[in-house]
Amino acid sequence: MCGIAGIVALNAAAPPPSREALLRMVGTLAHRGPDERGLYRDRRAGLAHARLSIVDLLHGQQPLTNDDGSTWIVFNGEIFNYLELRDRLISLGHRFRTHSDTEVVLHAYLAWGQAAFERMNGQWALAIWDSAAGRLVLSRDRYGICPLHFCEHGGRLFFASEVKAIFAAETAIRRAFDPAGIDQTFTLWTVVAPQNVFQGIRELPPGHIRVYENGVTRERAFWEPRYPEIPSSDQDRFAGSCGEAVEEVRAALETATALRMVQADVPVGCYLSGGLDSSLVATLGRRFAGERFQTFSLRFADAEYDETRFQRLVAAAIGSEHHEVMVSRNDIAAIFPEVVHHTERPILRTAPAPLFLLSRLVRERGVKVVLTGEGADEMFAGYDLFREGKVRRFWGRQPASMRRARLLERLYPYLSRSPVHQQALARQFFGRNIQAHDMPGFAHDTRWRTTSAIKRLFCPDMRAASEHRDAVSELLACLPAEFPRWSSLAQDQYLEIRTLMSGYLLSSQGDRMLMAHSVEGRFPFLDDNLVALANSLPDTYKLRILDEKHVLKRVAAPIVPTQVVARKKQPYRAPNALSFVARDAPEYVLDALSETALRAAGIFDPKSVAGLLGKCRAKTGDGDLSNSDNMALVGVLSTQLLHQQFIAGRPGDTRRVELRIDVDHEHRERALA
């Protein structure tokens, strides 16, 4: 993975891109690409690249051009089927100067146009500039693994892997919160692309292409999740038995893991949480690692979150060189401002913070690439949300049934303050809107209601700005036409992929924490072929009664320790609000939550926040705080830090940048004129 940035004039009156602005942009992305930097510039466009060298270490520099120098690319990511594409392009007469996947992507675009992106199996964000046609093409991978933001200002387009690079390019670009983005975050847990929390900034949605040409802007999706329809012609449905599905999933996952292990000219390690998904990936990854295979795990000082026993069990079983980092509440509090600086959006959980420490450990051990288990829960129905949705729909068909309501007791066994521990309260909480069990978004309704409760802390102006908005209705209004013809589980999976996976798990918890320390994450469960297979499976192969990831457990059973396969699911979590309210909490907490700072940001009511802070201080353990209060304090604090860092302050990195590629056609043309 790398960092990309650029400036393109959208009309003849706009000035050419400034070399100094491009240098500032690429400087802010140094953590994404510490190995090499490069620039290209002509009268209309400027491209910048910060490289993390992983494939073709000697010859993969960017920006990269075609044979006649007319078309240029900056690329962040990896294409795992690039060798197959390269062979096909050679058969069509294309010739290559490097062994990098970036050059394959450029030639694929020249050969097949926008259809090239449909052929690519991988993770990417890219920009292609055709100087002869005056055309800029932006593209992002199917799942949103790699970020890509853009902003139109003063007749020019600014784009970059991170928002801070756009802000660094031009001081005249306004820095302010977008009430729509804030409202969306405190409803859905995250913004959903193209929405951003900053005014005027947009994010290219996953699976989309955006083209600027001759004053016209066009955008389209080249991919959307697909599921079998009801009634179905069986065209998209897996027709085999569950046993046959196990074998096909095993083969597809082995291939996906192998591609992500061998398509690198540097060592590849693996995160190991102790759960089923990462344990299965680590076990398969070990087969393709050669003599040395390094695994990395988080330990927690709070026993409620710690999974050390299972992590060590798997590490011993596969014979990996295992590394651990111990995380305490104080550790989370100490690094939280850095974490928010990299997420560039409010977060409602501290879970990204330990992963920031883990990626630092990975880098310290000399590893640039790690596999992770992300995507398995979304593709194979692993979350309690899917089980909850199934139970609530079953109950909703006979709402008077006490037996059906008691199935709620099988949910969330790992929470010390689980909503199912008190039957009357559980029926009241989960029974709200039970009559809407056939409506889109039903399974997510409890999450969205709980998150929306945080908006009680909004100041009057923010409440007024968000009163006419309904983030849920806006989301549901953009569903695919075939959505009503999918099963309830497929609908739930689609919404989870569209919201939490892309906007939070792969971003705040994924790319941003990995790239903070120049580490690339690879996700075998998000391999295109494996995803297509998973989406085609009958619901009962994924969620059998209430047994989540049924088919995946059967894949793992012969090769992963039984204790891991058979254990109850425990999702990754970390200590939340109480990390910030101890007597020795860092000074920045009170500063960020002070009345002065809150009024300056203009999002939260100081009196309400003071009440929340006092409530949290009175508690002695995470179990004493409600889910809503935990999310509220973390969400308020992260928003305030974001305001200090990006709005009240001026993000940017003015360090001197050494360039490996420096092509300046604009300067050359001026000199010849």
Side-chain angles (χ1 to χ4, degrees), residues 289-300:
E291 293 183 2
R292 189 184 187 197
F293 186 51
Q294 299 187 65
T295 51
F296 302 87
S297 294
L298 289 168
R299 299 182 61 196
F300 286 98

Side-chain angles (χ1 to χ4, degrees), residues 203-456:
E203 183 174 10
L204 188 65
H208 274 62
I209 304 165
R210 188 174 178 89
V211 180
Y212 295 83
E213 184 176 13
N214 298 324
V216 177
T217 303
R218 304 183 304 275
E219 184 176 316
R220 71 174 182 88
F222 69 87
W223 182 85
E224 282 267 14
R226 292 185 61 183
Y227 301 91
E229 296 184 14
I230 303 172
S232 173
S233 64
D234 292 332
Q235 180 179 355
D236 298 318
R237 186 183 301 277
F238 182 83
S241 67
C242 189
E244 290 170 328
V246 169
E247 294 307 312
E248 292 213 20
V249 170
R250 176 182 291 119
L253 183 58
E254 286 177 350
T255 300
T257 305
L259 283 173
R260 284 153 182 79
M261 286 296 300
V262 303
Q263 300 291 8
D265 296 327
V266 296
V268 179
C270 190
Y271 278 0
L272 184 54
S273 71
L276 177 73
D277 311 330
S278 65
S279 298
L280 182 52
V281 168
T283 301
L284 293 176
R286 182 68 185 91
R287 298 178 179 178
F288 309 101
E291 293 183 2
R292 189 184 187 197
F293 186 51
Q294 299 187 65
T295 51
F296 302 87
S297 294
L298 289 168
R299 299 182 61 196
F300 286 98
D302 293 73
E304 179 181 351
Y305 311 102
D306 192 62
E307 300 180 71
T308 301
R309 178 167 70 92
F310 299 103
Q311 295 160 357
R312 292 179 175 176
L313 181 67
V314 175
I318 65 175
S320 66
E321 183 180 318
H322 192 56
H323 310 283
E324 302 169 341
V325 58
M326 174 67 79
V327 181
S328 69
R329 297 178 184 181
N330 287 344
D331 294 327
I332 291 172
I335 62 167
F336 199 64
E338 287 184 84
V339 168
V340 173
H341 176 73
H342 286 287
T343 64
E344 298 186 329
R345 61 187 58 179
I347 51 177
L348 308 186
R349 294 291 194 198
T350 63
L355 291 167
F356 177 89
L357 296 173
L358 188 61
S359 71
R360 185 170 71 186
L361 174 66
V362 170
R363 190 64 183 186
E364 288 171 351
R365 292 295 183 268
V367 174
K368 286 185 175 182
V369 183
V370 289
L371 307 184
T372 88
E374 255 68 47
D377 286 316
E378 291 81 4
M379 304 308 157
F380 292 95
Y383 289 130
D384 269 308
L385 179 141
F386 301 131
R387 290 161 24 105
E388 176 192 318
K390 187 171 186 177
V391 169
R392 291 180 66 226
R393 288 186 178 101
F394 182 64
W395 179 25
R397 289 191 285 272
Q398 291 186 23
S401 170
M402 298 297 291
R403 287 186 63 189
R404 294 191 176 205
R406 291 205 62 178
L407 287 171
L408 296 169
E409 297 172 18
R410 298 178 62 177
L411 304 175
Y412 307 105
Y414 50 87
L415 291 179
S416 58
R417 191 184 172 102
S418 173
V420 305
H421 287 170
Q422 299 182 49
Q423 291 184 22
L425 289 176
R427 286 194 295 272
Q428 181 182 7
F429 178 78
F430 290 109
R432 286 187 61 183
N433 298 332
I434 199 76
Q435 71 282 356
H437 60 85
D438 287 330
M439 299 298 292
F442 174 75
H444 287 76
D445 176 64
T446 52
R447 178 198 289 168
W448 293 340
R449 278 191 282 112
T450 301
T451 309
S452 295
I454 303 172
K455 290 188 275 191
R456 71 188 185 276

Side-chain angles (χ1 to χ4, degrees), residues 1 70 84 113 135 162 180 256 312 316 391-392 395 409 462 468 471 527 579 635 653:
M1 302 268 246
S70 64
E84 172 188 327
R135 181 191 307 121
E162 299 187 10
R312 292 179 175 176
V391 169
R392 291 180 66 226
W395 179 25
E409 297 172 18
M462 183 60 200
H468 67 283
D527 179 87
S579 299
D653 189 336

Side-chain angles (χ1 to χ4, degrees), residues 448-584:
W448 293 340
R449 278 191 282 112
T450 301
T451 309
S452 295
I454 303 172
K455 290 188 275 191
R456 71 188 185 276
L457 303 173
F458 281 175
C459 68
D461 287 347
M462 183 60 200
R463 281 203 302 272
S466 62
E467 273 180 356
H468 67 283
R469 292 190 176 90
D470 186 339
V472 171
S473 295
E474 291 171 1
L475 174 68
L476 298 181
C478 298
L479 296 175
E482 59 269 26
F483 186 90
R485 299 191 294 275
W486 294 339
S487 70
S488 295
L489 178 60
Q491 293 179 2
D492 298 343
Q493 288 181 274
Y494 174 88
L495 286 171
E496 193 69 0
I497 291 167
R498 179 85 186 276
T499 57
L500 203 69
M501 187 182 85
S502 174
Y504 176 74
L505 289 172
L506 294 177
S507 176
S508 297
Q509 262 188 215
D511 172 87
R512 298 312 183 91
M513 296 303 100
L514 287 156
M515 293 304 292
H517 297 293
S518 311
V519 177
E520 174 178 288
R522 296 182 174 184
F523 313 95
F525 285 109
L526 295 180
D527 179 87
D528 296 342
N529 297 317
L530 181 58
V531 169
L533 174 60
N535 289 355
S536 74
L537 297 178
D539 290 352
T540 54
Y541 292 5
K542 293 180 277 191
L543 184 59
R544 173 157 292 193
I545 307 178
L546 292 181
D547 180 31
E548 77 281 355
K549 291 187 291 197
H550 177 78
V551 69
L552 210 56
K553 289 177 181 177
R554 290 180 59 177
V555 170
I559 57 176
V560 173
T562 303
Q563 299 95 314
V564 173
V565 178
R567 66 180 294 215
K568 294 291 184 182
K569 180 174 176 57
Q570 178 177 327
Y572 164 66
R573 298 177 301 132
N576 284 300
L578 295 185
S579 299
F580 306 107
V581 295
R583 290 185 178 181
D584 57 348

Side-chain angles (χ1 to χ4, degrees), residues 2-6 47-49 62 72-79 101-102 104-106 108-109 113-114 116-117 120 123-129 136-141 146-150 157 159-161 204 208-211 222:
C2 305
I4 66 172
L47 307 178
H49 187 263
Q62 299 183 46
W72 291 79
I73 184 172
V74 282
F75 174 81
N76 167 33
E78 306 291 345
I79 305 303
D101 55 350
T102 303
V104 172
V105 173
L106 180 58
Y109 172 76
Q114 296 179 22
F117 305 123
M120 289 160 46
Q123 52 197 60
W124 72 85
L126 62 82
I128 296 175
W129 169 245
L136 178 75
V137 177
L138 304 178
S139 173
R140 192 177 180 205
D141 68 70
C146 298
L148 186 54
H149 304 274
F150 61 91
L157 174 76
F159 67 86
S161 298
L204 188 65
H208 274 62
I209 304 165
R210 188 174 178 89
V211 180
F222 69 87

